[in-house]
Amino acid sequence: MSNDTPETRDKSGRFLSRAAEKAHDLHTVSDEGIHPMAKVLFGWTEAKNIGAIMFWGVGALGAALIVLDVFIQRHEYFGFANWTGFYGLYGFACFTFVVLMGWPLGNLLRRGENYYGDAGGPPADVDPEMPLPPESAQPTYEGDD
Amino acid sequence: MPAFLTALNPGWLMILAGVVAIFLPMRRVRQGITIAAPLLGIALLVMADQNVNHLTASVMGLDLVLYRVDGLSFVFGLAFLLAALLNSIYAWHTDNRLQDGMALAYAGAAIAAAFSADLMTLFIFWEITAVTSVFMVLAAGTRAAYFASMRYLAIQVLSGVLLLAGACYVYNNTGSLGMKAFVSLREPGAMLIFIALGIKAAFPFMHNWLQDSYPKASVVGAVVLSAFTTKLAVYAFIRMFPGQDALIWIGAVMTVFPVFFAVIENDLRKVLAYSLNNQVGFMICAIGLGSAGVGNALALNGATAHAFVHIIYKGLLFMSMGAVLYRTGTTKASELGGLYRSMPWTALFCIIGAMSISAFPLFSGFVAKSLTMSAVSREGLTVVWLMLLFASAGVMEHSGIKIPYFAFFGHDSGRRVKEAPFNMLLAMGMGAFICIAVGIPAIVPGLGYEWLYNLLPYREEAMSYQPFTFDHILTQMQLLVLATFAFIVLKRFGLYPPERPGTILDTDWAYRKIGFGLAQWMGTVWGKVGPAMTAVFLGISSRAYERIEAAFSPRGELARGALTGAMAIWTAALLGLVLLLAFVTVG
């Protein structure tokens, strides 16, 4: 930041750091094209540290459900299903297994987009006034980051 | 009610309205018909007496029952009519006569098939569903859709032909075409009908027509397709093969294998197609429980309830992905993300559909799937039960999390589009309403889940079942919350495989690559061998002709004097030989 730009103050009179402001702008999506309901319904997903909040929040909820299981006498038809936390641990294990199998299976079964020679555009009944996709929407590799 | 109305099969009404719609150029009038027809159909169905043959016919000595309603067909008919109504609202923004009419006729054929009580009538409407539904794929107008629709049609018609062959065997053996439950697959015709139904239900290795065609259909077409064909097959299985042991394992495998394909598939409509397979697996598995020819009342209730709620929430999920496709032109996960900013309502309805299919308590999937899971555990089928529980975690992965997360959240694609048109939102809202209304406890007796349980074919068994027990809610929440936690952990530590564009090979590779390659190779070989063989034949025949001509024609060898002389000599020589032999033998 150069020295010739005047410092700005916020309402409480503190100086605002321009660099921080710019950095903040970088990952705050502009209001352009944003539906007013988006903030109401899903604004919370933009919260700072949402990743950590979800991680600890859902983790704690899962742990609470397992702890609750300790105090409950369940009556299952299969003996092993009565073990404390059986459903939770089984769900966690199955989910993890399925997702991790995605790595080898993807390498084994994935071919080019036009493998069968019939790749093409969208169907005829899409929005005729559809905007062109932004550059950032070109094929990206979600999960790489 | 006038007599002709009581005898009017709602399915026939829909087909008739569909045919009219095809020729009706006035857009709003046509669309009015597509909405009025299912509404009228629902009214007709609700007023129809059950377990009565409303319309029968005798054609060429065959006794046909064209319209009969009972507890089972009522639920399927009602679900089909509701789906048709939502589909018509969803299609309000389009102006496509063929698609409007064919969608209505397709729904009508499925309804008429569900209300027919003999195999011949079933076969006729079975084939009409095939022929009308293919227009949903063709409506996309792309090259890929055209080829997929031809493969689709071939497989669907094959299913119909097998059904007809099976019906002929049954008629030949029993002298009746009535739809009865088979006790054994060894009965004449049973195996043929089993395979015919299996194709439509998308059994493993017969499933590719579904993943091939649905994601290539038009925006509206995919929504229409998701409701009818496979669930009609489920209905027919409940009717004809309750308690067939084979179905238990086929169903269990069906629930498990699509999970692995869904996790690596990039096209979200194709993920939904695999998810459809997985859900139908639960129903098929439930039908197989119990004694052959009878089934298990709790499980058959489960299959029926599951079909009802599945038609609604799968339609809702396809609608939400259709809205995304309509506004962005793609449903590829690798090109989407962050769309909640532009389409928050669509995102909300999609999440409701996702929570319903994942069977969260208070959503419709929970009250339906619980019946099947309880029935499997009561029969003591440990491995099957573990497979279904595995598949439940799998559903949470691909439909519960993957669909909403990669379309509406996750990495922001930067796409800023308009929210879905109002009619789409209305249809999705109605679907979401049903998902919640059917899934909540019966605070008012007779409403909530009790409304659905009241409709089920084994009503007393259904009403005595209690889905909202503390144990049940706790275990289901454990499964789902810990599965969600697994997703968060895998994402956080970078272990979740990235969404990459590409084609995922499935067993259709066998006929789309090897089969097609073989056919092409045979064509090439024939193209070369054919002319070569023609040339050889021509050569041989012309040579033969030349030889014959050279010998027998007026200018030929035989006509020449020299040969006449030679003949005389030969004759003399032969005579001499004969004389010599005669002397020798006599002497």
Side-chain angles (χ1 to χ4, degrees):
Chain A
M1 196 169 74
S2 60
N3 289 332
D4 51 4
T5 48
E7 290 286 346
T8 50
R9 291 166 187 263
D10 65 5
K11 279 177 188 166
S12 54
R14 280 177 300 204
F15 287 114
L16 280 176
S17 161
R18 281 288 171 84
E21 202 178 313
K22 275 184 189 164
H24 182 68
D25 283 348
L26 276 178
H27 47 76
T28 307
V29 185
S30 80
D31 282 347
E32 208 177 324
I34 295 180
H35 195 284
M37 276 308 287
K39 283 263 179 257
V40 180
L41 288 172
F42 303 110
W44 57 271
T45 60
E46 286 170 16
K48 218 175 151 191
N49 297 330
I50 185 68
I53 295 170
M54 292 294 279
F55 180 81
W56 291 109
V58 176
L61 179 61
L65 286 167
I66 291 176
V67 169
L68 195 60
D69 206 3
V70 176
F71 304 105
I72 304 293
Q73 208 31 268
R74 286 192 278 114
H75 308 286
E76 298 279 349
Y77 284 85
F78 302 113
F80 60 83
N82 279 320
W83 298 338
T84 303
F86 168 78
Y87 283 84
L89 298 177
Y90 189 73
F92 187 90
C94 290
F95 194 102
T96 310
F97 175 69
V98 167
V99 170
L100 293 181
M101 281 302 283
W103 291 97
L105 283 176
N107 290 335
L108 186 70
L109 298 175
R110 188 177 288 112
R111 298 290 184 278
E113 288 236 274
N114 200 21
Y115 180 72
Y116 289 117
D118 59 358
D125 60 343
V126 292
D127 187 1
E129 294 159 16
M130 192 164 59
L132 283 173
E135 250 167 54
S136 60
Q138 298 308 320
T140 49
Y141 302 105
E142 167 65 18
D144 273 356
D145 47 349
Chain B
M1 197 159 64
F4 78 93
L5 273 182
T6 52
L8 180 58
N9 186 328
W12 292 34
L13 171 81
M14 299 268 288
I15 296 174
L16 193 71
V19 172
V20 170
I22 293 171
F23 297 103
L24 210 61
M26 291 158 285
R27 179 180 168 194
R28 291 302 178 204
V29 177
R30 183 177 71 238
Q31 292 179 321
I33 289 178
T34 64
I35 289 177
L39 282 174
L40 190 58
I42 292 172
L44 286 177
L45 177 59
V46 171
M47 285 189 280
D49 293 327
Q50 294 201 1
N51 301 316
V52 181
N53 291 346
H54 292 292
L55 187 64
T56 56
S58 192
V59 182
M60 293 186 292
L62 300 175
D63 291 322
L64 307 180
V65 183
L66 303 173
Y67 182 27
R68 180 188 170 84
V69 184
D70 65 7
L72 178 65
S73 57
F74 181 88
V75 183
F76 279 87
L78 183 64
F80 289 155
L81 283 162
L82 281 172
L85 177 66
L86 296 185
N87 295 345
S88 298
I89 296 171
Y90 188 76
W92 184 261
H93 67 282
T94 63
D95 185 11
N96 186 338
R97 274 192 295 163
L98 198 59
Q99 184 169 271
D100 286 349
M102 285 300 179
L104 212 55
Y106 172 35
I111 295 160
F115 291 136
S116 62
D118 68 89
L119 289 167
M120 190 52 70
T121 317
L122 178 73
F123 160 72
I124 291 165
F125 290 110
W126 197 262
E127 288 291 43
I128 296 178
T129 58
V131 175
T132 48
S133 60
V134 78
F135 287 89
M136 302 300 114
V137 187
L138 280 170
T142 59
R143 193 178 126 84
Y146 171 74
F147 288 124
S149 70
M150 291 301 118
R151 288 189 290 271
Y152 172 87
L153 192 61
I155 292 168
Q156 296 293 313
V157 170
L158 172 69
S159 159
V161 171
L162 290 172
L163 179 63
L164 179 63
C168 293
Y169 266 106
V170 170
Y171 183 69
N172 193 33
N173 189 47
T174 64
S176 157
L177 278 171
M179 244 199 277
K180 291 191 302 286
F182 291 99
V183 177
S184 161
L185 287 178
R186 293 212 172 92
E187 283 178 52
M191 200 43 151
L192 284 168
I193 297 179
F194 188 81
I195 296 172
L197 268 52
I199 292 175
K200 283 237 182 194
F203 276 5
F205 304 112
M206 303 178 190
H207 66 281
N208 290 118
W209 61 266
L210 201 159
Q211 282 81 17
D212 185 17
S213 57
Y214 286 17
K216 298 190 182 91
S218 66
V219 169
V220 174
V223 177
V224 177
L225 283 167
S226 74
F228 305 108
T229 300
T230 47
K231 263 64 75 183
L232 178 60
V234 167
Y235 162 78
F237 267 118
I238 298 178
R239 188 64 89 196
M240 289 191 270
F241 297 99
Q244 275 314 326
D245 288 348
L247 291 177
I248 299 176
W249 289 99
I250 294 172
V253 171
M254 267 174 94
T255 61
V256 170
F257 89 90
V259 166
F260 294 100
F261 284 97
V263 75
I264 49 175
E265 180 56 55
N266 187 35
D267 182 348
L268 295 179
R269 286 206 299 176
K270 205 165 184 175
V271 172
L272 286 179
Y274 277 115
S275 156
L276 208 166
N277 228 226
N278 152 292
Q279 292 287 301
V280 172
F282 279 95
M283 302 170 213
I284 294 292
C285 182
I287 298 168
L289 298 173
S291 56
V294 182
N296 174 320
L298 182 64
L300 291 180
N301 275 339
T304 312
H306 206 149
F308 183 94
V309 297
H310 177 254
I311 287 170
I312 305 295
Y313 60 60
K314 181 61 67 173
L316 174 57
L317 286 167
F318 264 105
M319 281 180 195
S320 66
M321 286 304 108
V324 167
L325 177 63
Y326 178 73
R327 285 302 192 202
T328 67
T330 183
T331 46
K332 294 197 174 111
S334 56
E335 296 171 31
L336 292 173
L339 277 178
Y340 80 87
R341 295 174 180 86
S342 309
M343 308 176 79
W345 287 115
T346 309
L348 179 70
F349 296 138
C350 178
I351 291 170
I352 293 174
M355 292 182 84
S356 302
I357 197 171
S358 313
F360 267 94
L362 305 182
F363 292 87
S364 60
F366 176 74
V367 298
K369 203 153 79 175
S370 301
L371 293 163
T372 303
M373 295 302 284
S374 297
V376 172
S377 66
R378 283 180 201 182
E379 295 236 345
L381 299 165
T382 317
V383 178
V384 175
W385 186 77
L386 285 172
M387 284 168 84
L388 297 193
L389 207 60
F390 170 86
S392 301
V395 178
M396 184 64 201
E397 200 288 314
H398 58 70
S399 294
I401 293 178
K402 180 170 176 167
I403 294 283
Y405 181 80
F406 286 102
F408 299 106
F409 302 97
H411 161 85
D412 183 12
S413 62
R415 287 175 192 269
R416 296 291 175 265
V417 292
K418 281 190 249 170
E419 174 60 286
F422 178 74
N423 63 300
M424 281 187 171
L425 291 178
L426 181 65
M428 284 190 268
M430 289 168 75
F433 171 78
I434 298 174
C435 284
I436 296 173
V438 167
I440 55 174
I443 305 159
V444 179
L447 290 179
Y449 77 88
E450 278 189 1
W451 176 81
L452 178 63
Y453 280 16
N454 243 324
L455 299 179
L456 297 179
Y458 298 95
R459 193 177 161 275
E460 280 175 24
E461 282 86 349
M463 293 308 281
S464 65
Y465 183 83
Q466 181 53 254
F468 288 99
T469 62
F470 190 79
D471 285 19
H472 201 178
I473 295 170
L474 176 72
T475 52
Q476 184 69 3
M477 283 308 287
Q478 265 191 22
L479 181 83
L480 297 174
V481 170
L482 268 292
T484 311
F485 185 60
F487 174 76
I488 296 169
V489 171
L490 291 164
K491 264 305 218 193
R492 202 170 164 84
F493 296 105
L495 294 169
Y496 197 96
E499 296 299 315
R500 288 186 191 282
T503 305
I504 302 297
L505 300 187
D506 196 346
T507 47
D508 61 344
W509 179 79
Y511 59 81
R512 289 184 70 184
K513 273 287 169 185
I514 298 185
F516 185 64
L518 202 66
Q520 264 189 329
W521 178 77
M522 281 178 6
T524 315
V525 167
W526 187 246
K528 292 205 163 125
V529 168
M533 279 165 70
T534 313
V536 168
F537 279 122
L538 258 172
I540 292 173
S541 59
S542 63
R543 253 205 235 148
Y545 177 80
E546 276 164 18
R547 289 282 164 82
I548 292 165
E549 194 189 30
F552 296 106
S553 75
R555 296 184 309 281
E557 286 292 322
L558 288 173
R560 286 195 196 159
L563 191 76
T564 323
M567 284 286 277
I569 292 162
W570 275 110
T571 317
L574 275 169
L575 265 173
L577 188 69
V578 170
L579 272 174
L580 195 67
L581 280 170
F583 277 126
V584 171
T585 47
V586 171

